[in-house]
Amino acid sequence: MFEYKAVRDKKITFQDLIKNLTVDDLARETNAMVDEMLRLISDCTDAEVVFRPVDPAADDPYAREGDKNMPWTLGHVIVHCTASSEESAFLAAELARGVVHHGRSRWEAPWERVTKITQCRHRLEESRRMRLACLQVFPDASHLDNTYIPWEGAKPMNAISRFVSGLLHDWDHLGQITEIIRQAKADNSPGINAGVSGEPPCSHPSC
């Protein structure tokens, strides 16, 4: 996968990460990211999808009233990640076509209805298909000079950087997915379920 950790550790810039990337690179990375998430949940059960982890750091500023400090379930993280990456992919496709940015393009499946591991796997595969389809929309001569500032303080993004921002957001949640699963599998062992993710569910401005 791309060097996301190096970006987060400030060893390279986001611009370094996306430099010289092609649409084929984005397709390969999309497959790699979805495959990694599927690998992480490969032996999960329905019970682990709805397991509520221990996470004192949970702080979701975008949640509805009463849910701001509620730890996320595995199902919640999956629908959140896929919604964010799909938004990035659809916006990237419009930018690549030369369309002037005109707002967000986000829809997130209700996480409360995701209670089965088969639903998580389906959501990931569906998201893979949708994101790869967005890349097929890119013209042969994409309008990479077409940019916009996605949130306050951000640098201008074009089609490539907008798409990769969704993948970077996915990567940011891999540790959370791993920790939820660890706690869920340890839940039946007294005294073991004491870990926390150490991070809020998501404070990314594009979520």
Side-chain angles (χ1 to χ4, degrees):
M1 287 198 289
F2 293 164
E3 296 182 81
Y4 306 108
K5 189 174 187 302
V7 173
R8 291 307 190 209
D9 290 344
K10 300 188 184 305
K11 293 181 179 178
I12 64 172
T13 67
F14 183 72
Q15 294 304 315
D16 291 331
L17 179 72
I18 66 170
K19 185 170 55 180
N20 300 324
L21 290 180
T22 67
V23 171
D24 287 343
D25 293 327
L26 301 185
R28 281 191 292 270
E29 187 66 7
T30 297
N31 282 319
M33 186 62 71
V34 174
D35 287 345
E36 175 62 10
M37 289 188 171
L38 287 169
R39 183 191 70 79
L40 290 174
I41 68 171
S42 61
D43 64 348
C44 287
T45 65
D46 293 346
E48 288 155 358
V49 172
V50 297
F51 172 79
R52 185 77 64 193
V54 176
D55 192 354
D59 179 19
D60 180 6
Y62 305 101
R64 62 192 174 209
E65 193 63 35
D67 291 347
K68 295 185 182 298
N69 301 113
M70 181 181 65
W72 287 7
T73 63
L74 178 60
H76 194 162
V77 178
I78 295 298
V79 298
H80 169 78
C81 286
T82 51
S84 294
S85 279
E86 286 159 20
E87 177 176 21
S88 289
F90 277 85
L91 291 176
E94 290 209 335
L95 291 170
R97 292 170 49 235
V99 176
V100 175
H101 178 70
H102 53 85
R104 300 192 63 176
S105 182
R106 183 183 182 84
W107 183 83
E108 183 171 320
W111 64 267
E112 298 92 342
R113 299 179 190 172
V114 180
T115 60
K116 307 288 186 184
I117 190 61
T118 52
Q119 290 176 288
C120 292
R121 293 184 181 124
H122 176 266
R123 179 80 276 273
L124 285 165
E125 290 292 3
E126 180 180 54
S127 185
R128 184 206 304 265
R129 173 177 57 80
M130 293 167 69
R131 290 187 247 175
L132 292 177
C134 285
L135 291 174
Q136 291 299 310
V137 173
F138 279 44
D140 292 339
S142 295
H143 297 260
L144 298 184
D145 58 341
N146 184 25
T147 66
Y148 81 107
I149 298 175
W151 54 82
E152 186 177 354
K155 293 185 178 180
M157 284 190 174
N158 66 4
I160 299 294
S161 53
R162 178 72 262 197
F163 194 98
V164 176
S165 71
L167 291 165
L168 176 59
H169 176 266
D170 279 341
W171 183 86
D172 283 336
H173 282 281
L174 293 181
Q176 185 182 15
I177 292 172
T178 301
E179 177 58 21
I180 292 170
I181 295 170
R182 185 197 71 78
Q183 287 192 37
K185 291 187 177 302
D187 188 48
N188 291 327
S189 300
I192 293 180
N193 184 19
V196 297
S197 70
E199 298 178 358
C202 193
S203 58
H204 196 277
S206 70
C207 294

